[in-house]
Amino acid sequence: TMMTTLSGDDSFALAAELKRLIAEFVERYGDLAVERLDADDASSEQILDALQGTSFLVEAKLVVVKSPLAQKELFEKIEVWKENVPATT
């Protein structure tokens, strides 16, 4: 399990780096291996479910969470969910 956080003031560079990371992952594992969530719209439970869930269709999974700071609850639970995230996420 690996967690990468992209932050900063340069939205162009952030978007370019996110696009690069996703493209690398998709090239290796396919489109079905990427799940995108917006923390402004998704509950912390939905985000945690995405992180902890596995798929029989893909070897590994990438979960992209936009605006994670919108979910204070998510950060409060981060230590708990890290222990339950499959190695393939």
Side-chain angles (χ1 to χ4, degrees), residues 19-82:
K19 185 176 180 177
R20 184 192 68 76
L21 291 170
I22 292 171
E24 266 183 26
F25 197 86
V26 166
E27 184 178 318
R28 185 167 180 187
Y29 299 106
D31 285 330
L32 293 176
V34 179
E35 186 168 353
R36 293 174 175 90
L37 297 164
D38 188 334
D40 286 327
D41 300 324
S43 69
S44 60
E45 288 79 22
Q46 288 172 309
I47 295 168
L48 293 173
D49 285 346
L51 292 168
Q52 294 173 345
T54 58
S55 174
F56 298 108
L57 302 175
V58 294
E59 179 183 337
K61 181 168 76 168
L62 172 66
V63 179
V64 178
V65 181
K66 180 181 176 187
S67 304
L69 295 177
Q71 289 288 338
K72 180 182 175 190
E73 237 181 279
L74 183 65
F75 285 99
E76 292 171 353
K77 297 178 181 179
I78 204 162
E79 287 304 315
V80 174
W81 73 256
K82 276 176 48 178

